[in-house]
Each structure stands twice: as C-alpha cells, then as structure tokens.
C-alpha cells in the first residue's frame, strides 16, 4: 500500500520565525505539503521507533493536511503518532504532549495569528523532542532538502477516522487519538491555585474570554466555566471554525475589537482576555484598562511567589530584544538571571532546558514558562487570575502599583505592511550601515548611546543570530527595527518604540512616543522609501 510518488521542488519552503506559513492558495497546491513533510522526514533520517504528535488549530485545509501527514508518516516508517481528536490541538498543548510522552517531536498545523480560510493562510510548526520549535540550523537543512526533493512516500489508504479516542494501526504504525484538552487541564491544575480562583468566581468576579473562533474555545470552556466555575457565557467565540468566522485571530487592540469594545464599555467584566489562532498568545484587559504584553511579563515575574508552582523561586527571565525593558528592572530587583534573545520562541528553549530561566515573553502577546517550550495563552490568563485571587486587587490596580514600584516603560509597536520585499531589504541594509555613525549624536534632545544590529550568542549551543537593529538612547528610550518572519506575502517592517519614565505614570503612550516616532522615521527614511507616512497597524 506504500506508494512512491515523483515530485519536483518548490523553491519557497523556507521556514520563518515560527514554521512554514503560506497563503492557502499556495499551500493547497498538489504536492506542497507532501514535499515539505518528506523533507522533514528525510532530514530526521531513521524513523523507526520514533513517535510524533500531530494536531492543529482547525483552520482551513487542516483536515486534508493531517491525513496526508498520517499516511506519509506510516509510509516513512514512523512507529507512532499521537493525534488530537478530530485533528485539534493547541500549540501549548502539543508541546506538553511531546514532553509528557517523551515523543521525538510534533507538527502543529497552524499559521497562528494569521487569518485562515481559502483566502487566508495555512502553516505547519515543527517541534523536536525538546517540545519547542527546531533551531535554525535544522530548518536550514530541511530547506536544502526541499530544494532537491524528487519523490515522497505515502500510504494509499482511505482517510483515518480521528473522531474516536483510542488506538488504531496503519501499516504497522500506531495511531493514538487523544483528548487534546485533558492533559492540558491537568497541567494547569498542577501550576495554579485553582481553589482560590474558584472562590473568586463564587464571590461574583466576572470575566470574558474571547477564543476568536479558534482552537482555545474548548480549552477555555473546560477550564474557566466547568472547572473554575465562571458563569456560562464567560467564554465567547468558542467554536473553532475553518475561517475563524472571518476574524483575524490576533489578540490585540486592533483585531480583538469585539472584546476591546466590551471591556471599555460601562458594562465591562472585571477581567478580559483573548488568545490567538493556535492558543499561544494572550491579551490581558481590566475594566477599561489594557496591559501591554511587555508589562504583563514584568508583572507576572514580580509576582511569581503567589503561584504554587513557582513559589519556591524561579531561575531567571528572558525577553525578545524587541520587547520593552520593563522586566529587566524586575529581574534586577529579585536578583535573578536576565536574557535578551532574538524574536521567536525557539530562542528561549536552550535557556529553559539549561535552567537559566523559568519565565519568558515577547511584546507580541506571548508569555510563558518552562512548564512547556512554547508560549501559552491560557497559562498567562490563569496567572493573572491567580494574582487577582491572591491579592484581591483589580488588573488596573496591580498594574499601577507595579509602575509605582518600578517606573513605566511606555511602549508601542508600529507595523508597516505590504512593503515591496526588495525595498524593505534595502532599507534595513542601508540602515544597518548607517547606524554606527549615529552614536553620540543627539536628535530632538535624545542622545544616541548605541546603534547597530542586535546579535545574540546562545550560551548553550554557541550559535550566533543576528535579528533586527536597535538604537538605544541615553535616557533609556529605544527604537527597534525588524522585518517580520511570519507573513505570507510582501514584507512587514516592524518598528518598536519605548520610553521609560520613573514618575510620569499616567500619560498617553502615543503622546509620550511622538518625538521618538519622528526620530525613528527620519533615521530609517520609511516614509520616503515606502510611501507610508503612517503605520498600517499600531499595537
Ligand atoms: C511574530 C512575532 C513574534 C512571534 C511570532 C510567532 O513574528 O513578532 O514575537 O514569536 O510571530 O508567533 P514576526 O517575525 O512576524 O515578527 V505565533 O503566535 O506563531 O506563533
Ligand atoms: Co500563535
């Protein structure tokens, strides 16, 4: 039943910040997924005795791609697959299943926060036995394989039934269909103080969780409504849909509009949160109050002692270079390790494995800990609920008190989307050449201390990665420029701005950053080179 099929290479199967992401129209071409998967299997080599985890966020084409992956895994000699029921599994749940079962890796079918559907995006994230996504050295080898591929192997059988939990056999490969929610709930119960969060809801505390018609709906209903007793209806948009019901499942102030409008209205709940397509991102809101992800990381880190799983101490904390420096002050106060890495969760994995850090986060609505090797949306929400239950304080109060203690990093990200790739590449190259000459110069009263490329030297595997450009000013303000690595067409230039104040704590972030924004535009020539005088998305 095993068939070898002749194929020709696609030249665009290079993975980005988090796996392979393409327009659905590209990913659904004949042999596209097949070539990519065969290249992964070829790169791994001997698959005998190996176990992989498979699932996805339920987006368009997941159902077809999952069948292809199962039939190809069996044809290539994989020993066992652990598959989420009906093909569902969030990215954090997948990481947990890999670690818990000591699997050799896993595939999460998702383009994360990118829209889905026939005109949206499709993607595949590939993790290894660490439970985290593979390092660039491995994805480079897979990419080389995709460029030279001439055949793939697949089992010629009818589709596998993934609707029932249990075990079946395909050509000697075991397929175990599991409940993708169960182990995840258990893990959360072992980290947080569920009893005190349950009590909080009993006392009338209200929340709204927006699953954005994506994968976390079933997880959130189980945990918040069933186990913790939040009122029915607290979780909205809970049915994972192939096109996310037309939503752009990116939990931020722009795309989670329904939730934001509700939380800024007079009948807002006490607490609001949203997750992205595959459940690894989170947005945190209080009553008429937004917490930036950079502040959230700092606040969670400062409060580690309130959480049962962390109360005996944490190793350290890391953030991506583009994330605000708020957490650095917390790390200093607690005298714990502190690291800055390139954008992408895979760079945190070695730091967690080597017990250098416990917490980590990114400005892009990602927060997590070493309980797994991916960022974890529901984990962050539970962490906040646990802090609220333990302190009796509101989201706003917790955040304002944090600023009083540490000062405030005003922080906003500006995205310039749909830029011609050649224009964007040239802009970044020219900027990189120009930056060193700007050191010690002053712009509108802001003196530049350092300017240049961000280079990360991994202390564990000693690899070196260059990602983005940073301008650091004498007063602690920063500009970071990066090209996005998760888009499926054209280039997106991200500009991250930060300004620190010790005592001016209630200003409007955009106003605080007006001068820095102007400096960032002048130095980079973004308006002149791209024709864009304003960012497309501001978060
Ligand atoms: C973006 C974010 C980055 C995040 C990545 C994957 O990457 O900026 O912080 O790790 O998405 O997120 P980029 O290269 O477009 O800036 V997700 O929720 O895949 O998994
Ligand atoms: Co995601």
């Amino acid at each position: 039943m095993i068939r070898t099929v002749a194929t020709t290479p696609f030249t665009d199967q290079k993975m980005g910040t988090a796996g392979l992401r393409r327009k659905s129209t590209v990913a659904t071409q004949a042999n596209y997924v097949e070539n990519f998967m065969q290249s992964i299997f070829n790169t791994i080599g001997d698959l005998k005795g190996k176990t992989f985890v498979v699932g996805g966020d339920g987006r368009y084409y997941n159902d077809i791609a999952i069948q292809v992956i199962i039939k190809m895994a069996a044809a290539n000699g994989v020993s066992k697959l652990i598959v989420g029921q009906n093909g569902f599994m969030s990215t954090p749940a997948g990481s947990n299943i890999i670690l818990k079962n000591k699997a050799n890796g896993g595939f999460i079918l998702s383009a994360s926060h990118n829209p889905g559907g026939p005109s949206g995006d499709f993607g595949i994230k590939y993790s290894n036995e660490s439970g985290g996504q593979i390092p660039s050295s491995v994805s480079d080898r897979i990419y080389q394989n995709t460029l030279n591929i001439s055949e793939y192997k697949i089992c010629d059988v009818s589709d596998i039934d993934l609707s029932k939990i249990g075990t079946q056999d395909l050509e000697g490969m075991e397929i175990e269909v599991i409940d993708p929610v169960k182990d995840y709930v258990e893990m959360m119960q072992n980290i947080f103080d569920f009893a005190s969060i349950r009590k909080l809801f009993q006392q009338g505390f209200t929340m709204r969780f927006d699953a954005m018609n994506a994968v976390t709906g079933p997880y959130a209903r189980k945990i918040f409504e069933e186990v913790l007793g939040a009122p029915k209806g607290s979780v909205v948009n809970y049915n994972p849909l192939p096109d996310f019901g037309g939503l752009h499942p990116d939990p931020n102030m722009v795309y989670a509009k329904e939730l934001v409008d509700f939380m800024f209205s007079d009948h807002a709940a006490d607490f609001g949160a949203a997750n992205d397509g595959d459940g690894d991102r989170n947005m945190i809101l209080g009553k008429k109050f937004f917490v930036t992800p950079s502040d959230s990381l700092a606040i969670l880190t400062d409060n580690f002692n309130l959480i049962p799983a962390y109360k005996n101490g944490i190793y350290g904390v890391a953030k991506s270079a583009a994330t605000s420096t708020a957490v650095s002050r917390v790390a200093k106060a607690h005298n714990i390790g502190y690291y800055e890495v390139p954008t992408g969760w895979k760079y945190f994995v070695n730091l967690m494995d080597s017990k250098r850090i416990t917490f980590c986060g990114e400005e892009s609505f990602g927060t997590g800990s070493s309980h797994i090797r991916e960022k974890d949306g529901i984990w962050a929400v539970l962490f906040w609920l646990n802090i609220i239950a333990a302190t009796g304080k509101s989201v706003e109060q917790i955040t304002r008190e944090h600023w009083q203690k540490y000062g405030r990093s005003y922080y906003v990200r500006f995205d310039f989307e749909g830029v011609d790739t050649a224009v964007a590449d040239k802009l970044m190259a020219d900027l990189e050449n120009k930056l060193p000459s700007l050191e010690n110069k002053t712009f509108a009263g802001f003196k530049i201390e350092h300017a240049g490329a961000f280079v990360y030297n991994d202390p564990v595997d000693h690899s070196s990665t260059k990602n983005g450009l940073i301008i650091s000013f004498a007063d602690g303000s920063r500009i970071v420029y990066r090209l996005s690595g998760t888009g499926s067409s054209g280039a997106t230039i991200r500009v991250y701005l930060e300004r620190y104040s010790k005592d001016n704590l209630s200003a409007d972030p955009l106003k605080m950053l007006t001068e820095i924004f102007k400096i960032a535009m002048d130095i980079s020539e973004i308006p002149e080179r791209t024709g864009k005088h304003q960012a497309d998305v501001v978060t």
Side-chain angles (χ1 to χ4, degrees):
M1 273 190 260
I2 296 173
R3 195 155 57 97
T4 301
V5 183
T7 187
T8 50
F10 293 93
T11 54
D12 66 345
Q13 298 197 317
K14 197 178 168 75
M15 289 181 241
T17 311
L20 181 73
R21 254 169 239 197
R22 291 290 169 260
K23 289 251 163 270
S24 296
T25 47
V26 173
T28 55
Q29 292 172 89
N31 295 348
Y32 198 87
V33 167
E34 287 85 345
N35 277 16
F36 183 67
M37 290 307 302
Q38 188 63 52
S39 297
I40 293 178
F41 290 142
N42 291 347
T43 306
I44 298 170
D46 187 11
L47 294 160
K48 200 162 166 280
K50 293 207 160 62
T51 297
F52 295 91
V53 175
V54 189
D57 64 5
R59 72 177 60 219
Y60 174 75
Y61 205 56
N62 266 16
D63 48 354
I64 294 170
I66 279 193
Q67 293 293 337
V68 167
I69 292 174
I70 294 172
K71 292 172 195 175
M72 285 185 66
N76 278 279
V78 169
S79 290
K80 180 175 175 180
L81 289 185
I82 302 173
V83 187
Q85 190 177 17
N86 295 314
F88 287 97
M89 198 178 291
S90 74
T91 290
S95 181
N96 179 42
I97 298 293
I98 293 173
L99 291 169
K100 195 170 170 182
N101 293 280
K102 297 194 168 56
N104 301 90
F107 307 99
I108 295 291
L109 278 58
S110 173
S112 189
H113 57 289
N114 298 19
S119 55
D121 287 358
F122 176 78
I124 301 177
K125 291 180 172 181
Y126 168 42
S127 299
N128 60 19
E129 70 285 350
S130 75
Q133 288 171 58
I134 49 165
S136 316
S137 53
V138 179
S139 54
D140 287 347
R141 279 165 51 212
I142 294 169
Y143 177 55
Q144 287 310 319
N145 210 285
T146 66
L147 296 176
N148 296 305
I149 193 162
S150 58
E151 58 181 40
Y152 64 84
K153 285 202 190 91
I154 190 160
C155 283
D156 240 342
V157 290
S158 50
D159 280 357
I160 314 302
D161 180 6
L162 301 176
S163 67
K164 281 176 218 72
I165 288 167
T167 300
Q168 44 195 306
D169 175 87
L170 176 61
E171 292 288 306
M173 178 181 80
E174 182 187 338
I175 303 171
E176 186 188 355
V177 176
I178 60 159
D179 175 351
V181 177
K182 191 174 154 280
D183 299 84
Y184 184 83
V185 177
E186 268 171 33
M187 173 169 61
M188 292 299 120
Q189 279 172 319
N190 288 330
I191 297 175
F192 298 105
D193 183 354
F194 269 44
S196 73
I197 302 175
R198 205 177 298 127
K199 210 158 132 212
L200 183 71
F201 285 117
Q202 272 163 11
Q203 290 161 350
F205 184 84
T206 56
M207 85 178 270
R208 180 174 286 193
F209 179 94
D210 194 334
M212 303 193 83
N213 298 322
V215 78
T216 49
Y219 295 85
R221 284 181 98 196
K222 178 82 191 172
I223 291 174
F224 301 123
E225 296 185 1
E226 269 183 55
V227 181
L228 292 170
K232 276 249 158 340
S234 299
V235 178
V236 300
N237 294 322
Y238 52 73
N239 263 333
L241 301 173
D243 66 347
F244 307 120
L247 293 181
H248 184 158
D250 194 353
N252 61 36
M253 295 294 274
V254 177
Y255 296 121
K257 190 173 180 314
E258 198 182 308
L259 177 72
V260 171
D261 286 349
F262 171 71
M263 289 303 295
F264 280 79
S265 75
D266 289 335
H267 50 277
D270 296 314
F271 180 79
N275 278 185
D276 74 331
D278 61 333
D280 53 359
R281 295 184 178 208
N282 73 92
M283 175 169 68
I284 302 295
L285 299 163
K287 265 196 168 104
K288 301 189 183 186
F289 195 82
F290 165 67
V291 186
T292 69
S294 299
D295 278 345
S296 181
L297 174 64
I299 292 166
L300 300 190
T301 305
D302 200 35
N303 286 289
F304 71 85
N305 62 325
L306 300 179
I307 310 299
Y310 310 115
K311 68 171 190 294
N312 293 330
I314 53 175
Y315 292 118
V317 65
K319 70 167 192 75
S320 67
T323 303
S324 102
T325 53
V327 74
S328 71
R329 294 185 286 276
V330 177
K332 204 166 162 202
H334 288 280
N335 196 23
I336 54 172
Y338 170 74
Y339 299 84
E340 292 192 5
V341 307
T343 291
W345 211 260
K346 57 188 174 220
Y347 297 103
F348 294 128
V349 172
N350 282 341
L351 298 177
M352 290 193 259
D353 283 348
S354 61
K355 294 188 165 43
R356 283 173 165 83
I357 62 165
T358 303
F359 294 157
C360 42
E362 295 186 291
E363 53 66 41
S364 55
F365 298 81
T367 346
S369 93
S370 53
H371 64 293
I372 51 169
R373 296 295 180 271
E374 292 278 6
K375 53 191 184 270
D376 190 340
I378 288 181
W379 173 89
V381 175
L382 285 167
F383 203 136
W384 270 93
L385 288 173
N386 200 148
I387 296 175
I388 294 166
T391 61
K393 292 174 185 169
S394 71
V395 172
E396 175 164 1
Q397 216 179 339
I398 292 164
T399 308
R400 290 203 183 277
E401 286 178 11
H402 183 87
W403 292 337
Q404 258 148 29
K405 194 161 148 197
Y406 290 103
R408 179 173 177 187
S409 286
Y410 288 92
Y411 182 89
V412 178
R413 182 176 109 188
F414 300 80
D415 292 334
F416 298 84
E417 297 181 338
V419 178
D420 180 85
T421 306
V423 170
D425 288 344
K426 174 104 173 35
L427 186 150
M428 291 297 284
D430 291 348
L431 191 53
E432 185 172 347
N433 287 332
K434 172 181 179 178
L435 286 186
S437 69
L438 301 181
E439 287 186 353
N440 299 316
K441 293 214 166 101
T442 300
F443 292 78
F446 290 86
K447 185 176 174 218
I448 295 180
E449 236 170 34
H450 301 290
F454 172 71
V455 180
Y456 177 64
N457 296 310
D458 188 303
V460 178
D461 67 18
H462 305 293
S463 62
S464 181
T465 307
K466 199 162 94 172
N467 190 276
L469 307 170
I470 304 186
I471 301 177
S472 308
F473 296 92
D475 73 337
S477 298
R478 300 192 321 147
I479 301 171
V480 179
Y481 302 93
R482 270 187 73 245
L483 293 182
S484 160
T486 56
S488 57
S489 63
T492 293
I493 305 172
R494 301 201 197 283
V495 182
Y496 313 76
L497 305 184
E498 171 178 0
R499 185 174 174 190
Y500 175 69
S501 178
K502 183 92 197 80
D503 36 35
N504 179 9
L505 305 178
S506 294
D508 172 1
L510 283 174
K511 281 208 184 98
M512 285 296 283
L513 294 165
T514 309
E515 291 106 327
I516 312 261
F517 179 78
K518 197 171 172 305
I519 297 169
M521 293 301 103
D522 287 349
I523 291 177
S524 64
E525 301 168 14
I526 287 175
E528 294 83 347
R529 290 175 182 235
T530 68
K532 288 173 183 281
H533 290 265
Q534 237 134 47
D536 298 280
V537 180
V538 179
T539 48

